[in-house]
Amino acid sequence: MHDSQQPQDLDAANEMVAAVVTASRVLVAVSARSLAAIEEALTVPQFRMLVVLDTGGPVNLSGLAEQLAVNPSTALRMVDRLSAAGMVERTQDPGDRRLVVLAATAAGRQVVRQVTERRQAEITRIVSAMAVDHRGAMIEALEAFARAAGEEQINPAAYTGQALPGWS
Amino acid sequence: MHDSQQPQDLDAANEMVAAVVTASRVLVAVSARSLAAIEEALTVPQFRMLVVLDTGGPVNLSGLAEQLAVNPSTALRMVDRLSAAGMVERTQDPGDRRLVVLAATAAGRQVVRQVTERRQAEITRIVSAMAVDHRGAMIEALEAFARAAGEEQINPAAYTGQALPGWS
DNA sequence: CTGCAAATATTGCATACTGCAAAGGAAAAG
DNA sequence: CTTTTCCTTTGCAGTATGCAATATTTGCAG
């Protein structure tokens, strides 16, 4: 009895889902390309860490792990590698000898800037290929979409575009 | 001399980039949630493999690795684990004894269906919270965006939403 | 038919991300 | 001063990833 009820609504919903999913593919591909294009051969988690350190300023290990929504041990080992690569600087907090102060080096900030610029350029290039009257509508629509989703919680760890396997 | 040239165009471009990036965050979070919500505790790469096997039908290992854009050895070990979990079935090709025929089991297809339905439901729920007159505009805008991007190549491996570190 | 080249799957080795649990040191609370 | 709490670090295990080498099988040339 409930079959074929309000078929036009269902069709519209399916069309929306399809459009959103397709756009999602494009966006993920753009992010991946922007990161792969640079010389330094960073992984996605490493780039996420650099973004957090670059935008958020110096933090200790626990705070960094929390912002990335990973285990402190994971963050520690990532810091080890990025530190060896010259992207992250570790110093001791003079006031509290338990704390390790972490910050992005100039090289690390440079990488974040390069990837961000490349990603923005690529998105701009795609948008430039769209019909002009579609652009304003897209901004409004995307902002409305993000607002609608934002009233539920959004995981901050997804900030730089990584999918999280063990997320609840 | 080129500073501050066409400031309104630059502002519009920045606004578009910001809207796109924010929407991207939301979409990635939705994908991650949909996968984390099921019982079976699959990783993102494992789910990608199941999607390929479910939609594409039986393939051999090389073909599967190519569709996922990973090394055959990587695909092999993932098949090992998914096979142990009862999600993937391996059989020998009777015509060519080199080939291994891989297919999703009923349990594997069930998982793909569950995650897909959950993701679609979540997107539908978000869209339902949008103003009605924004929805049609969003469909058109997103399709136009995907079209504009589609004239360049899109990596098929990004299908299920994974960011690829080593992609060129 | 035989031998060689190509295709296919598999294994070995290395690196990275991830979490849980335990250990060790330092600061705060009592 | 003792206990508790906080923070970092290490040990252990599982998964993903790629490169290189190996084994097996097929196809082709001679």
Side-chain angles (χ1 to χ4, degrees), chain B residues 150-165:
Chain B
E151 290 163 8
E152 316 148 42
Q153 84 290 11
I154 297 178
N155 178 15
Y159 181 65
T160 55
Q162 193 205 27
L164 302 176

Side-chain angles (χ1 to χ4, degrees), chain A residues 22-74:
Chain A
T22 302
S24 179
R25 280 206 288 273
V26 173
L27 295 171
V28 169
V30 167
S31 293
R33 267 202 298 264
S34 304
L35 184 53
I38 62 171
E39 273 301 316
E40 276 77 8
L42 286 181
T43 67
V44 173
Q46 285 171 349
F47 178 67
R48 289 179 59 219
M49 179 171 279
L50 283 184
V51 169
V52 168
L53 289 176
D54 182 44
T55 64
V59 285
N60 61 340
L61 185 68
S62 296
L64 180 58
E66 189 177 359
Q67 288 186 61
L68 293 172
V70 298
N71 196 283
S73 64
T74 299

